[in-house]
Amino acid sequence: MKSKLKYIFAVILALVLIILPSCKKGDNNSETTAPGEDNTSVTDGSFNAGDPDTQNGSVGLRFELSEDGKYYTLVGLGDCLDVDIIVPQAHEGLPVKAIAKGAFESENVFSIYIPDSVEDLQMGMLIGCDSLKSLTMPSTELNKMLADSRHPDGNYIVSPGDDIPTLNTFTMTKGTKVDYYTFYNACPNLEELTLPETLTDIALKAFIHTPKLKDIVIPAAVKSIGDEAFKGCSDLRSVKFDKGSKLASIGEYAFNKCTKLVSVEFDDNCKISKLPKHVFSECKALKSLKVPLSVERIYEGAFLDCTHLTEVVLPEGLKEIDSWAFRNTRLAEVNIPSTVTKIGDQAFYESEYIKNVNIAEGNSTYYAGGNCVILKDGDILLFGVGEMTIPESVKEIRAYAFSNNTTLKSITIPKSVVIVREFAFENCSALRSVKFAEGSECKTIERFAFIDCRALEEIELPSGVEVLGSGVFRLCYALKKVTIPETVSTLPEALFQECIALEEVNILSKPDVIPASFFEGCNKLEKIVLPGSVTRIEQRAMSSGLKEITIPKACKTFDDQAFYGCVYLKKINYEGTVSQWNSIKKGYYFVQKDAWNEGFKDAKIVCSDGNIN
């Protein structure tokens, strides 16, 4: 009985194997296909070795004849069970020229190959391709399939959610343009990109926020790359322009925030005349770059916050370097070509690792001296690096000239300097000594000129200085003693704010006002003698460490919170009478009149004709 059953089962199995369709690629007259030994491609989202068989293509696909009877449109998968779909060049003797919306809709399609002969790729053809990993196609209209309709510019191409989160590999076999917003938020897992030799244009935001894209080779025929084309491609590691590159323009923010971008290799033949605003800003892994020979201007913030950029080669022929162009980089040396005629404010701001700066011989606009760059017209010092010496010819120190220089320990400002601009020495954290040369002609020190110089212990202001800006010494934690020359008629706000080591201030001038926050936070300043000219003390003007103060009889007003935080104040020496003291207009704290002495009500007030307790 058992042997008979075995015989019957063997006969049935043989019949099934004979009549079951093989569904092999090769016969496009068939509308159906079924799995068999050789009928399916590999299932990892890539094609078998060799060129895909587009003469035959996948079997079982569904087509519709055009109204004029001259070509076919692929409209669906039909009976095809392939996971790797190959679109044939022809069907039943006529060319396949179009692909309809939803033609590949399936959860089981891993890869799609569309031959160059297909001309019409209709909107939404990739809808429902929820497992698609690899796509090869000729396209100048790829945005019709991939662009995210949720973008606020109103470029609604497909319905929300019709993106392809699984797509890993894309190959474009022909075409001249990757349209704007093509991959915008559509392919979060796209890693491999191959562009055709025929490509001439990569449009605005074409690959913006394609976070896993790794390496890009830009074909030689590409002439333009649009604004933000690769912005936010956070895994992008290298960009290479093919030999013979015809690149003529590159957009603003084109590679902004490509945080893992290490290498950018331009071809010497490219014709771009500028590196635009923020083109490589926040490319934190970028280490070196050779600027193309054709570039004449590097715009604002081009390399801003490229925090690992240690080397850049600037070409002879470069004319302008805009503000913040190399702000916050790790450049070790700067070599300015002879052709440069403009260097913007803060062009190398916060680039604290620069040790040497050189200007090529023959530059008619700038010269270098003592590791400083000086504008010839006006002898204006633009910036200095490392341990430098200011040349004797300098008349003006430009804003941010030495900002964030962490190696500068001492500096002598020559006699010729007339003005020190704002933030000139901001955050020079190792600067301990500042000296003005004998006979200094300096008249103005602008606001925050020495702010946050936390190691600054001594500075002797020139005897002829007339203007001090607000907060000149703010946050100078080590500063102990300062004398304000008699030529300074008006005191600025917050001049010594948070100078926690300050012990002595001599005011030789005759100011009317002790301005807001003038001594605020000076915890070790225990005794203050105000000039006889003072008529008003503004908000929070006094130090929190104050124990004794002398106030002239000319004083008529204490502003709200003038003595805020003076909890240690024990004695007030008033040079006028008790009656005059009582007539002083004293501010109040919120709505509480005469609360100017909140926190030190026990202080003794000594007047010329008696005391007030």
Side-chain angles (χ1 to χ4, degrees):
M1 182 67 178
K2 289 183 179 180
S3 59
K4 186 175 181 179
L5 288 173
K6 289 181 180 180
Y7 173 77
I8 295 172
F9 179 76
V11 171
I12 294 172
L13 180 60
L15 290 173
V16 169
L17 291 174
I18 291 172
I19 64 176
L20 187 67
S22 65
C23 195
K24 291 182 180 180
K25 293 179 176 64
D27 181 10
N28 248 310
N29 292 318
S30 173
E31 292 289 319
T32 60
T33 183
E37 182 179 354
D38 297 319
N39 69 312
T40 58
S41 306
V42 292
T43 60
D44 62 353
S46 58
F47 290 97
N48 289 314
D51 295 329
D53 183 8
T54 57
Q55 291 294 324
N56 298 299
S58 295
V59 174
L61 301 173
R62 188 161 61 91
F63 300 89
E64 286 185 359
L65 187 64
S66 63
E67 291 183 1
D68 60 8
K70 293 183 178 181
Y71 67 90
Y72 278 99
T73 297
L74 175 64
V75 296
L77 295 179
D79 296 325
C80 183
L81 299 179
D82 288 353
V83 295
D84 298 326
I85 302 297
I86 300 176
V87 177
Q89 297 182 44
H91 175 68
E92 295 185 347
L94 292 176
V96 175
K97 289 190 175 183
I99 298 177
K101 176 181 179 180
F104 301 106
E105 185 171 2
S106 171
E107 294 182 355
N108 299 317
V109 172
F110 289 169
S111 64
I112 298 172
Y113 187 99
I114 302 172
D116 292 354
S117 56
V118 176
E119 299 175 354
D120 183 10
L121 305 172
Q122 295 180 15
M123 180 173 63
M125 75 171 190
L126 299 176
I127 290 175
C129 293
D130 296 335
S131 300
L132 185 63
K133 294 182 179 180
S134 176
L135 175 63
T136 302
M137 61 188 292
S139 177
T140 58
E141 301 177 344
L142 187 58
N143 65 314
K144 288 186 177 180
M145 282 64 72
L146 301 181
D148 188 347
S149 66
R150 290 165 288 184
H151 195 271
D153 79 332
N155 181 34
Y156 297 158
I157 303 301
V158 294
S159 301
D162 290 335
D163 52 8
I164 310 177
T166 58
L167 190 65
N168 176 268
T169 304
F170 173 71
T171 302
M172 183 174 172
T173 55
K174 76 171 185 177
T176 60
K177 182 178 183 180
V178 179
D179 215 341
Y180 66 100
Y181 296 113
T182 294
F183 287 89
Y184 184 86
N185 284 345
C187 302
N189 289 295
L190 182 65
E191 293 186 15
E192 298 180 24
L193 172 69
T194 303
L195 300 172
E197 294 182 357
T198 55
L199 192 69
T200 61
D201 182 22
I202 299 174
L204 168 74
K205 300 185 179 182
F207 296 94
I208 187 172
H209 300 317
T210 307
K212 293 191 177 181
L213 195 61
K214 298 226 179 318
D215 301 286
I216 300 172
V217 176
I218 308 293
V222 172
K223 295 180 179 179
S224 67
I225 297 176
D227 292 350
E228 303 182 47
F230 296 94
K231 179 179 179 179
C233 293
S234 53
D235 274 0
L236 185 62
R237 299 171 301 188
S238 68
V239 177
K240 182 179 180 180
F241 292 83
D242 265 346
K243 187 175 182 180
S245 174
K246 296 180 180 179
L247 186 69
S249 68
I250 186 169
E252 296 177 2
Y253 293 88
F255 295 94
N256 170 246
K257 295 185 178 180
C258 293
T259 54
K260 293 182 181 179
L261 182 61
V262 174
S263 170
V264 177
E265 187 176 337
F266 285 101
D267 180 65
D268 288 340
N269 291 303
C270 74
K271 303 300 180 185
I272 55 173
S273 61
K274 64 181 182 181
L275 291 181
K277 291 181 180 179
H278 296 272
V279 61
F280 295 109
S281 62
E282 298 184 70
C283 291
K284 298 182 183 296
L286 188 63
K287 294 182 178 179
S288 64
L289 187 135
K290 182 181 179 182
V291 177
L293 299 174
S294 56
V295 171
E296 295 183 352
R297 183 175 179 181
I298 299 175
Y299 276 74
E300 176 183 330
F303 296 94
L304 171 67
D305 291 333
C306 290
T307 52
H308 283 79
L309 183 66
T310 58
E311 180 183 11
V312 64
V313 179
L314 302 177
E316 191 69 18
L318 181 68
K319 296 178 180 178
E320 298 182 39
I321 302 173
D322 282 1
S323 300
W324 293 13
F326 295 95
R327 177 175 177 175
N328 193 23
T329 66
R330 281 182 177 260
L331 291 177
E333 185 173 72
V334 176
N335 295 297
I336 307 294
S338 66
T339 50
V340 171
T341 58
K342 176 187 174 183
I343 300 176
D345 290 341
Q346 306 177 57
F348 297 91
Y349 179 58
E350 292 184 331
S351 297
E352 58 186 279
Y353 297 93
I354 300 175
K355 303 302 179 188
N356 298 296
V357 59
N358 306 295
I359 295 179
E361 185 177 350
N363 190 298
S364 61
T365 307
Y366 302 99
Y367 67 93
N371 248 359
C372 299
V373 173
I374 299 112
L375 179 65
K376 290 182 178 180
D377 185 9
D379 288 304
I380 300 171
L381 192 154
L382 299 185
F383 68 94
V385 299
E387 287 284 353
M388 84 290 291
T389 301
I390 301 176
E392 295 290 339
S393 58
V394 171
K395 295 180 180 179
E396 176 183 328
I397 299 176
R398 183 68 65 85
Y400 300 95
F402 303 100
S403 178
N404 289 282
N405 185 318
T406 58
T407 61
L408 184 63
K409 295 179 181 178
S410 65
I411 192 76
T412 297
I413 298 175
K415 174 183 176 181
S416 57
V417 172
V418 175
I419 183 169
V420 179
R421 295 290 185 186
E422 61 181 4
F423 295 97
F425 293 89
E426 174 202 18
N427 193 29
C428 290
S429 57
L431 183 62
R432 300 181 62 183
S433 173
V434 175
K435 294 181 180 180
F436 287 81
E438 186 177 352
S440 173
E441 298 173 3
C442 186
K443 301 297 182 185
T444 302
I445 301 175
E446 291 187 344
R447 65 183 188 131
F448 307 121
F450 296 95
I451 188 174
D452 212 9
C453 291
R454 303 190 176 200
L456 183 61
E457 295 179 352
E458 60 176 307
I459 182 169
E460 184 175 340
L461 295 174
S463 59
V465 69
E466 297 174 355
V467 177
L468 294 175
S470 60
V472 166
F473 301 110
R474 186 182 178 192
L475 301 175
C476 291
Y477 291 160
L479 191 61
K480 294 181 178 181
K481 180 180 178 181
V482 176
T483 296
I484 298 176
E486 60 182 11
T487 48
V488 179
S489 58
T490 302
L491 299 180
E493 291 186 359
L495 182 64
F496 299 107
Q497 190 177 31
E498 302 298 331
C499 291
I500 57 177
L502 190 65
E503 297 176 353
E504 182 181 348
V505 175
N506 297 313
I507 304 174
L508 303 181
S509 60
K510 298 179 179 180
D512 295 332
V513 177
I514 303 299
S517 301
F518 191 75
F519 292 115
E520 184 179 9
C522 298
N523 301 331
K524 290 191 176 182
L525 187 60
E526 299 180 355
K527 187 175 182 179
I528 296 174
V529 178
L530 300 180
S533 57
V534 171
T535 62
R536 180 177 178 178
I537 302 174
E538 293 186 342
Q539 298 95 331
R540 300 184 181 227
M542 293 299 120
S543 64
S544 54
L546 186 62
K547 293 182 178 180
E548 182 177 350
I549 186 171
T550 297
I551 300 174
K553 63 180 179 181
C555 192
K556 304 298 181 184
T557 304
F558 300 157
D559 279 4
D560 295 351
Q561 304 183 56
F563 293 87
Y564 178 82
C566 297
V567 295
Y568 303 107
L569 184 58
K570 299 299 181 184
K571 186 177 182 181
I572 299 174
N573 300 309
Y574 178 62
E575 295 178 338
T577 65
V578 172
S579 176
Q580 288 174 320
W581 173 264
N582 290 332
S583 68
I584 293 176
K585 182 181 178 182
K586 302 175 180 68
Y588 54 89
Y589 185 69
F590 291 113
V591 297
Q592 200 172 358
K593 191 174 181 179
D594 292 330
W596 66 277
N597 59 343
E598 188 74 26
F600 58 90
K601 290 183 177 181
D602 295 333
K604 185 176 182 180
I605 303 169
V606 179
C607 301
S608 61
D609 61 348
N611 300 336
I612 302 173
N613 291 323

